mmCIF file of all heavy atoms in Angstrom:
data_model
loop_
_atom_site.group_PDB
_atom_site.id
_atom_site.type_symbol
_atom_site.label_atom_id
_atom_site.label_comp_id
_atom_site.label_asym_id
_atom_site.label_seq_id
_atom_site.Cartn_x
_atom_site.Cartn_y
_atom_site.Cartn_z
ATOM 1 N N THR A 164 -17.577 20.954 -27.559
ATOM 2 C CA THR A 164 -18.828 21.788 -27.729
ATOM 3 C C THR A 164 -19.650 21.383 -28.973
ATOM 4 O O THR A 164 -20.840 21.253 -28.933
ATOM 5 C CB THR A 164 -18.314 23.242 -27.906
ATOM 6 O OG1 THR A 164 -17.603 23.709 -26.770
ATOM 7 C CG2 THR A 164 -19.543 24.151 -28.225
ATOM 8 N N ARG A 165 -18.943 21.082 -30.010
ATOM 9 C CA ARG A 165 -19.566 20.571 -31.217
ATOM 10 C C ARG A 165 -20.234 19.249 -31.024
ATOM 11 O O ARG A 165 -21.286 19.004 -31.757
ATOM 12 C CB ARG A 165 -18.508 20.423 -32.349
ATOM 13 C CG ARG A 165 -17.967 21.837 -32.968
ATOM 14 C CD ARG A 165 -17.257 21.617 -34.199
ATOM 15 N NE ARG A 165 -16.069 20.841 -34.090
ATOM 16 C CZ ARG A 165 -14.894 21.168 -33.858
ATOM 17 N NH1 ARG A 165 -14.676 22.644 -33.765
ATOM 18 N NH2 ARG A 165 -13.763 20.463 -33.747
ATOM 19 N N SER A 166 -19.719 18.404 -30.129
ATOM 20 C CA SER A 166 -20.337 17.080 -29.980
ATOM 21 C C SER A 166 -21.684 17.167 -29.413
ATOM 22 O O SER A 166 -22.429 16.176 -29.370
ATOM 23 C CB SER A 166 -19.460 16.188 -29.036
ATOM 24 O OG SER A 166 -19.451 16.654 -27.633
ATOM 25 N N GLY A 167 -22.045 18.282 -28.754
ATOM 26 C CA GLY A 167 -23.271 18.359 -28.001
ATOM 27 C C GLY A 167 -23.416 17.897 -26.690
ATOM 28 O O GLY A 167 -24.378 17.876 -25.876
ATOM 29 N N GLU A 168 -22.166 17.338 -26.147
ATOM 30 C CA GLU A 168 -22.221 16.834 -24.805
ATOM 31 C C GLU A 168 -22.265 17.828 -23.710
ATOM 32 O O GLU A 168 -22.696 17.587 -22.526
ATOM 33 C CB GLU A 168 -20.804 16.116 -24.557
ATOM 34 C CG GLU A 168 -20.588 14.850 -25.330
ATOM 35 C CD GLU A 168 -20.850 13.576 -24.394
ATOM 36 O OE1 GLU A 168 -20.286 13.575 -23.391
ATOM 37 O OE2 GLU A 168 -21.657 12.727 -24.783
ATOM 38 N N LEU A 169 -22.081 19.219 -24.021
ATOM 39 C CA LEU A 169 -22.204 20.186 -22.940
ATOM 40 C C LEU A 169 -23.691 20.289 -22.471
ATOM 41 O O LEU A 169 -23.924 20.695 -21.362
ATOM 42 C CB LEU A 169 -21.850 21.552 -23.541
ATOM 43 C CG LEU A 169 -20.348 21.874 -23.671
ATOM 44 C CD1 LEU A 169 -20.124 23.179 -24.307
ATOM 45 C CD2 LEU A 169 -19.680 21.815 -22.324
ATOM 46 N N GLU A 170 -24.616 19.917 -23.286
ATOM 47 C CA GLU A 170 -26.041 19.972 -22.893
ATOM 48 C C GLU A 170 -26.315 19.067 -21.746
ATOM 49 O O GLU A 170 -27.408 19.024 -21.034
ATOM 50 C CB GLU A 170 -26.950 19.624 -24.039
ATOM 51 C CG GLU A 170 -27.089 20.790 -25.133
ATOM 52 C CD GLU A 170 -25.984 20.857 -26.113
ATOM 53 O OE1 GLU A 170 -25.019 20.124 -25.897
ATOM 54 O OE2 GLU A 170 -26.182 21.507 -27.119
ATOM 55 N N SER A 171 -25.476 18.054 -21.515
ATOM 56 C CA SER A 171 -25.637 17.099 -20.413
ATOM 57 C C SER A 171 -25.352 17.649 -19.037
ATOM 58 O O SER A 171 -25.682 17.045 -17.962
ATOM 59 C CB SER A 171 -24.795 15.745 -20.583
ATOM 60 O OG SER A 171 -23.399 16.087 -20.500
ATOM 61 N N LEU A 172 -24.592 18.782 -19.038
ATOM 62 C CA LEU A 172 -24.193 19.309 -17.688
ATOM 63 C C LEU A 172 -25.422 19.896 -16.995
ATOM 64 O O LEU A 172 -26.272 20.571 -17.542
ATOM 65 C CB LEU A 172 -23.247 20.514 -17.880
ATOM 66 C CG LEU A 172 -21.824 20.172 -18.656
ATOM 67 C CD1 LEU A 172 -21.066 21.518 -18.776
ATOM 68 C CD2 LEU A 172 -20.981 19.210 -17.787
ATOM 69 N N THR A 173 -25.494 19.559 -15.751
ATOM 70 C CA THR A 173 -26.637 19.992 -14.927
ATOM 71 C C THR A 173 -26.520 21.483 -14.629
ATOM 72 O O THR A 173 -25.412 22.014 -14.528
ATOM 73 C CB THR A 173 -26.732 19.312 -13.600
ATOM 74 O OG1 THR A 173 -25.558 19.569 -12.810
ATOM 75 C CG2 THR A 173 -26.830 17.807 -13.830
ATOM 76 N N PRO A 174 -27.538 22.221 -14.487
ATOM 77 C CA PRO A 174 -27.603 23.595 -14.107
ATOM 78 C C PRO A 174 -26.731 23.853 -12.923
ATOM 79 O O PRO A 174 -25.958 24.830 -12.779
ATOM 80 C CB PRO A 174 -29.009 23.996 -13.980
ATOM 81 C CG PRO A 174 -29.730 23.077 -14.877
ATOM 82 C CD PRO A 174 -28.882 21.705 -14.771
ATOM 83 N N GLU A 175 -26.914 22.993 -11.818
ATOM 84 C CA GLU A 175 -26.147 23.132 -10.649
ATOM 85 C C GLU A 175 -24.622 23.044 -10.855
ATOM 86 O O GLU A 175 -23.867 23.746 -10.290
ATOM 87 C CB GLU A 175 -26.559 22.045 -9.616
ATOM 88 C CG GLU A 175 -28.025 22.091 -9.048
ATOM 89 C CD GLU A 175 -29.016 21.521 -10.061
ATOM 90 O OE1 GLU A 175 -28.633 20.998 -11.161
ATOM 91 O OE2 GLU A 175 -30.192 21.312 -9.730
ATOM 92 N N ARG A 176 -24.210 22.204 -11.801
ATOM 93 C CA ARG A 176 -22.785 22.072 -12.037
ATOM 94 C C ARG A 176 -22.295 23.340 -12.724
ATOM 95 O O ARG A 176 -21.150 23.767 -12.503
ATOM 96 C CB ARG A 176 -22.527 20.749 -12.898
ATOM 97 C CG ARG A 176 -21.085 20.471 -13.059
ATOM 98 C CD ARG A 176 -20.504 19.891 -11.784
ATOM 99 N NE ARG A 176 -19.454 20.714 -11.296
ATOM 100 C CZ ARG A 176 -18.631 20.359 -10.341
ATOM 101 N NH1 ARG A 176 -18.852 19.175 -9.724
ATOM 102 N NH2 ARG A 176 -17.680 21.096 -9.972
ATOM 103 N N VAL A 177 -23.135 23.851 -13.630
ATOM 104 C CA VAL A 177 -22.698 25.014 -14.406
ATOM 105 C C VAL A 177 -22.520 26.207 -13.388
ATOM 106 O O VAL A 177 -21.504 26.981 -13.460
ATOM 107 C CB VAL A 177 -23.688 25.453 -15.473
ATOM 108 C CG1 VAL A 177 -23.324 26.748 -16.009
ATOM 109 C CG2 VAL A 177 -23.694 24.347 -16.525
ATOM 110 N N TRP A 178 -23.481 26.365 -12.458
ATOM 111 C CA TRP A 178 -23.363 27.332 -11.444
ATOM 112 C C TRP A 178 -22.154 27.252 -10.544
ATOM 113 O O TRP A 178 -21.526 28.160 -10.217
ATOM 114 C CB TRP A 178 -24.638 27.492 -10.614
ATOM 115 C CG TRP A 178 -24.537 28.355 -9.541
ATOM 116 C CD1 TRP A 178 -24.351 28.114 -8.064
ATOM 117 C CD2 TRP A 178 -24.313 29.816 -9.442
ATOM 118 N NE1 TRP A 178 -24.189 29.159 -7.333
ATOM 119 C CE2 TRP A 178 -24.146 30.250 -8.191
ATOM 120 C CE3 TRP A 178 -24.398 30.650 -10.509
ATOM 121 C CZ2 TRP A 178 -23.915 31.617 -7.927
ATOM 122 C CZ3 TRP A 178 -24.140 32.118 -10.218
ATOM 123 C CH2 TRP A 178 -23.949 32.520 -8.948
ATOM 124 N N ILE A 179 -21.917 25.971 -10.190
ATOM 125 C CA ILE A 179 -20.668 25.821 -9.410
ATOM 126 C C ILE A 179 -19.411 26.335 -9.972
ATOM 127 O O ILE A 179 -18.568 27.041 -9.425
ATOM 128 C CB ILE A 179 -20.544 24.252 -8.988
ATOM 129 C CG1 ILE A 179 -21.626 23.760 -7.957
ATOM 130 C CG2 ILE A 179 -19.113 23.935 -8.439
ATOM 131 C CD1 ILE A 179 -21.714 22.262 -7.758
ATOM 132 N N GLU A 180 -19.211 25.942 -11.285
ATOM 133 C CA GLU A 180 -18.056 26.446 -11.962
ATOM 134 C C GLU A 180 -18.066 27.938 -12.223
ATOM 135 O O GLU A 180 -16.956 28.578 -12.078
ATOM 136 C CB GLU A 180 -17.897 25.613 -13.349
ATOM 137 C CG GLU A 180 -17.692 24.253 -13.229
ATOM 138 C CD GLU A 180 -16.540 23.844 -12.509
ATOM 139 O OE1 GLU A 180 -15.416 24.596 -12.719
ATOM 140 O OE2 GLU A 180 -16.445 22.827 -11.685
ATOM 141 N N LEU A 181 -19.204 28.513 -12.543
ATOM 142 C CA LEU A 181 -19.299 29.933 -12.681
ATOM 143 C C LEU A 181 -19.005 30.640 -11.340
ATOM 144 O O LEU A 181 -18.235 31.590 -11.364
ATOM 145 C CB LEU A 181 -20.692 30.316 -13.158
ATOM 146 C CG LEU A 181 -20.979 31.851 -13.221
ATOM 147 C CD1 LEU A 181 -20.073 32.574 -14.094
ATOM 148 C CD2 LEU A 181 -22.483 32.070 -13.704
ATOM 149 N N HIS A 182 -19.548 30.114 -10.329
ATOM 150 C CA HIS A 182 -19.334 30.794 -8.998
ATOM 151 C C HIS A 182 -17.931 30.764 -8.594
ATOM 152 O O HIS A 182 -17.360 31.685 -8.126
ATOM 153 C CB HIS A 182 -20.248 29.986 -7.986
ATOM 154 C CG HIS A 182 -20.217 30.689 -6.569
ATOM 155 N ND1 HIS A 182 -19.869 29.970 -5.431
ATOM 156 C CD2 HIS A 182 -20.582 31.943 -6.308
ATOM 157 C CE1 HIS A 182 -19.903 30.848 -4.428
ATOM 158 N NE2 HIS A 182 -20.403 31.942 -4.832
ATOM 159 N N LYS A 183 -17.234 29.563 -8.813
ATOM 160 C CA LYS A 183 -15.800 29.536 -8.510
ATOM 161 C C LYS A 183 -15.021 30.496 -9.344
ATOM 162 O O LYS A 183 -14.027 31.115 -8.868
ATOM 163 C CB LYS A 183 -15.307 28.038 -8.670
ATOM 164 C CG LYS A 183 -15.792 27.053 -7.689
ATOM 165 C CD LYS A 183 -15.259 25.561 -8.036
ATOM 166 C CE LYS A 183 -15.658 24.680 -6.948
ATOM 167 N NZ LYS A 183 -15.162 23.323 -7.289
ATOM 168 N N SER A 184 -15.400 30.651 -10.658
ATOM 169 C CA SER A 184 -14.667 31.494 -11.497
ATOM 170 C C SER A 184 -14.902 33.027 -11.008
ATOM 171 O O SER A 184 -13.889 33.804 -11.159
ATOM 172 C CB SER A 184 -15.105 31.445 -12.943
ATOM 173 O OG SER A 184 -16.354 32.058 -13.158
ATOM 174 N N LEU A 185 -16.042 33.283 -10.580
ATOM 175 C CA LEU A 185 -16.309 34.665 -9.989
ATOM 176 C C LEU A 185 -15.383 35.021 -8.836
ATOM 177 O O LEU A 185 -15.222 36.140 -8.519
ATOM 178 C CB LEU A 185 -17.782 34.818 -9.556
ATOM 179 C CG LEU A 185 -18.732 34.817 -10.724
ATOM 180 C CD1 LEU A 185 -20.166 34.720 -10.128
ATOM 181 C CD2 LEU A 185 -18.524 36.068 -11.671
ATOM 182 N N LYS A 186 -14.803 34.096 -8.142
ATOM 183 C CA LYS A 186 -13.904 34.220 -7.045
ATOM 184 C C LYS A 186 -12.427 34.363 -7.461
ATOM 185 O O LYS A 186 -11.562 34.628 -6.667
ATOM 186 C CB LYS A 186 -14.097 33.121 -6.057
ATOM 187 C CG LYS A 186 -15.466 33.098 -5.388
ATOM 188 C CD LYS A 186 -15.609 32.052 -4.309
ATOM 189 C CE LYS A 186 -16.972 32.014 -3.667
ATOM 190 N NZ LYS A 186 -17.051 30.892 -2.671
ATOM 191 N N THR A 187 -12.153 34.285 -8.738
ATOM 192 C CA THR A 187 -10.838 34.343 -9.147
ATOM 193 C C THR A 187 -10.423 35.774 -9.427
ATOM 194 O O THR A 187 -11.309 36.660 -9.388
ATOM 195 C CB THR A 187 -10.647 33.636 -10.509
ATOM 196 O OG1 THR A 187 -11.263 34.209 -11.534
ATOM 197 C CG2 THR A 187 -10.957 32.094 -10.370
ATOM 198 N N ASN A 188 -9.113 35.994 -9.646
ATOM 199 C CA ASN A 188 -8.656 37.337 -9.970
ATOM 200 C C ASN A 188 -9.171 37.880 -11.280
ATOM 201 O O ASN A 188 -9.209 39.087 -11.538
ATOM 202 C CB ASN A 188 -7.152 37.397 -9.970
ATOM 203 C CG ASN A 188 -6.475 37.340 -8.592
ATOM 204 O OD1 ASN A 188 -7.243 37.573 -7.569
ATOM 205 N ND2 ASN A 188 -5.244 36.960 -8.423
ATOM 206 N N ASN A 189 -9.418 36.944 -12.204
ATOM 207 C CA ASN A 189 -9.786 37.383 -13.558
ATOM 208 C C ASN A 189 -10.993 36.532 -14.066
ATOM 209 O O ASN A 189 -10.970 35.782 -14.977
ATOM 210 C CB ASN A 189 -8.685 37.199 -14.583
ATOM 211 C CG ASN A 189 -7.479 38.084 -14.361
ATOM 212 O OD1 ASN A 189 -6.628 37.655 -13.589
ATOM 213 N ND2 ASN A 189 -7.559 39.237 -14.773
ATOM 214 N N PRO A 190 -12.224 36.766 -13.407
ATOM 215 C CA PRO A 190 -13.428 36.067 -13.856
ATOM 216 C C PRO A 190 -13.855 36.338 -15.305
ATOM 217 O O PRO A 190 -14.432 35.481 -15.955
ATOM 218 C CB PRO A 190 -14.548 36.635 -12.954
ATOM 219 C CG PRO A 190 -14.093 37.974 -12.446
ATOM 220 C CD PRO A 190 -12.460 37.921 -12.425
ATOM 221 N N GLU A 191 -13.352 37.368 -15.862
ATOM 222 C CA GLU A 191 -13.782 37.587 -17.257
ATOM 223 C C GLU A 191 -13.103 36.578 -18.292
ATOM 224 O O GLU A 191 -13.621 36.383 -19.277
ATOM 225 C CB GLU A 191 -13.300 39.121 -17.745
ATOM 226 C CG GLU A 191 -11.807 39.313 -17.915
ATOM 227 C CD GLU A 191 -11.030 39.440 -16.634
ATOM 228 O OE1 GLU A 191 -11.542 39.399 -15.479
ATOM 229 O OE2 GLU A 191 -9.696 39.721 -16.851
ATOM 230 N N VAL A 192 -11.964 36.052 -17.820
ATOM 231 C CA VAL A 192 -11.189 35.089 -18.628
ATOM 232 C C VAL A 192 -12.094 33.831 -18.809
ATOM 233 O O VAL A 192 -12.107 33.143 -19.832
ATOM 234 C CB VAL A 192 -9.859 34.801 -18.046
ATOM 235 C CG1 VAL A 192 -9.087 33.670 -18.822
ATOM 236 C CG2 VAL A 192 -8.947 36.140 -18.118
ATOM 237 N N PHE A 193 -12.758 33.437 -17.637
ATOM 238 C CA PHE A 193 -13.624 32.323 -17.778
ATOM 239 C C PHE A 193 -14.623 32.428 -18.931
ATOM 240 O O PHE A 193 -14.838 31.576 -19.780
ATOM 241 C CB PHE A 193 -14.401 32.095 -16.497
ATOM 242 C CG PHE A 193 -15.371 31.118 -16.429
ATOM 243 C CD1 PHE A 193 -15.087 29.669 -16.241
ATOM 244 C CD2 PHE A 193 -16.743 31.367 -16.364
ATOM 245 C CE1 PHE A 193 -15.911 28.577 -16.174
ATOM 246 C CE2 PHE A 193 -17.676 30.374 -16.353
ATOM 247 C CZ PHE A 193 -17.313 28.981 -16.161
ATOM 248 N N ILE A 194 -15.304 33.574 -18.955
ATOM 249 C CA ILE A 194 -16.246 33.850 -20.013
ATOM 250 C C ILE A 194 -15.582 34.004 -21.357
ATOM 251 O O ILE A 194 -16.125 33.413 -22.314
ATOM 252 C CB ILE A 194 -17.166 35.245 -19.666
ATOM 253 C CG1 ILE A 194 -17.733 35.137 -18.234
ATOM 254 C CG2 ILE A 194 -18.063 35.475 -20.637
ATOM 255 C CD1 ILE A 194 -18.689 34.042 -18.148
ATOM 256 N N GLU A 195 -14.590 34.580 -21.481
ATOM 257 C CA GLU A 195 -13.883 34.827 -22.757
ATOM 258 C C GLU A 195 -13.448 33.374 -23.397
ATOM 259 O O GLU A 195 -13.688 33.215 -24.561
ATOM 260 C CB GLU A 195 -12.732 35.648 -22.592
ATOM 261 C CG GLU A 195 -12.939 37.095 -22.301
ATOM 262 C CD GLU A 195 -11.851 37.840 -21.842
ATOM 263 O OE1 GLU A 195 -10.717 37.399 -21.588
ATOM 264 O OE2 GLU A 195 -11.951 39.270 -21.811
ATOM 265 N N ILE A 196 -12.955 32.537 -22.502
ATOM 266 C CA ILE A 196 -12.638 31.205 -23.042
ATOM 267 C C ILE A 196 -13.873 30.387 -23.436
ATOM 268 O O ILE A 196 -13.783 29.827 -24.571
ATOM 269 C CB ILE A 196 -11.808 30.408 -21.839
ATOM 270 C CG1 ILE A 196 -10.516 31.033 -21.601
ATOM 271 C CG2 ILE A 196 -11.650 28.960 -22.351
ATOM 272 C CD1 ILE A 196 -9.472 30.891 -22.642
ATOM 273 N N LEU A 197 -14.895 30.474 -22.667
ATOM 274 C CA LEU A 197 -16.144 29.736 -23.074
ATOM 275 C C LEU A 197 -16.687 30.328 -24.384
ATOM 276 O O LEU A 197 -17.236 29.501 -25.274
ATOM 277 C CB LEU A 197 -17.131 29.869 -21.999
ATOM 278 C CG LEU A 197 -16.915 29.171 -20.646
ATOM 279 C CD1 LEU A 197 -18.100 29.262 -19.701
ATOM 280 C CD2 LEU A 197 -16.581 27.682 -20.902
ATOM 281 N N HIS A 198 -16.614 31.674 -24.509
ATOM 282 C CA HIS A 198 -16.942 32.268 -25.806
ATOM 283 C C HIS A 198 -16.171 31.817 -26.932
ATOM 284 O O HIS A 198 -16.651 31.492 -27.983
ATOM 285 C CB HIS A 198 -16.973 33.899 -25.667
ATOM 286 C CG HIS A 198 -17.212 34.562 -27.005
ATOM 287 N ND1 HIS A 198 -18.424 34.497 -27.603
ATOM 288 C CD2 HIS A 198 -16.400 35.290 -27.669
ATOM 289 C CE1 HIS A 198 -18.278 35.293 -28.682
ATOM 290 N NE2 HIS A 198 -17.053 35.749 -28.827
ATOM 291 N N TYR A 199 -14.889 31.701 -26.762
ATOM 292 C CA TYR A 199 -13.984 31.399 -27.816
ATOM 293 C C TYR A 199 -14.144 30.034 -28.345
ATOM 294 O O TYR A 199 -14.126 29.768 -29.554
ATOM 295 C CB TYR A 199 -12.464 31.547 -27.320
ATOM 296 C CG TYR A 199 -11.448 31.190 -28.288
ATOM 297 C CD1 TYR A 199 -11.129 32.050 -29.376
ATOM 298 C CD2 TYR A 199 -10.852 29.924 -28.247
ATOM 299 C CE1 TYR A 199 -10.136 31.696 -30.322
ATOM 300 C CE2 TYR A 199 -9.908 29.663 -29.267
ATOM 301 C CZ TYR A 199 -9.562 30.439 -30.312
ATOM 302 O OH TYR A 199 -8.589 30.221 -31.199
#
Side-chain angles (χ1 to χ4, degrees):
T164 300
R165 290 192 297 267
S166 75
E168 288 259 309
L169 284 175
E170 282 86 348
S171 69
L172 296 177
T173 65
E175 293 86 353
R176 188 72 243 188
V177 174
W178 170 250
I179 287 172
E180 295 299 324
L181 172 58
H182 187 236
K183 287 181 177 179
S184 78
L185 290 171
K186 295 181 177 181
T187 68
N188 287 341
N189 294 93
E191 77 282 359
V192 172
F193 176 78
I194 302 297
E195 289 168 351
I196 293 289
L197 294 183
H198 171 66
Y199 179 78

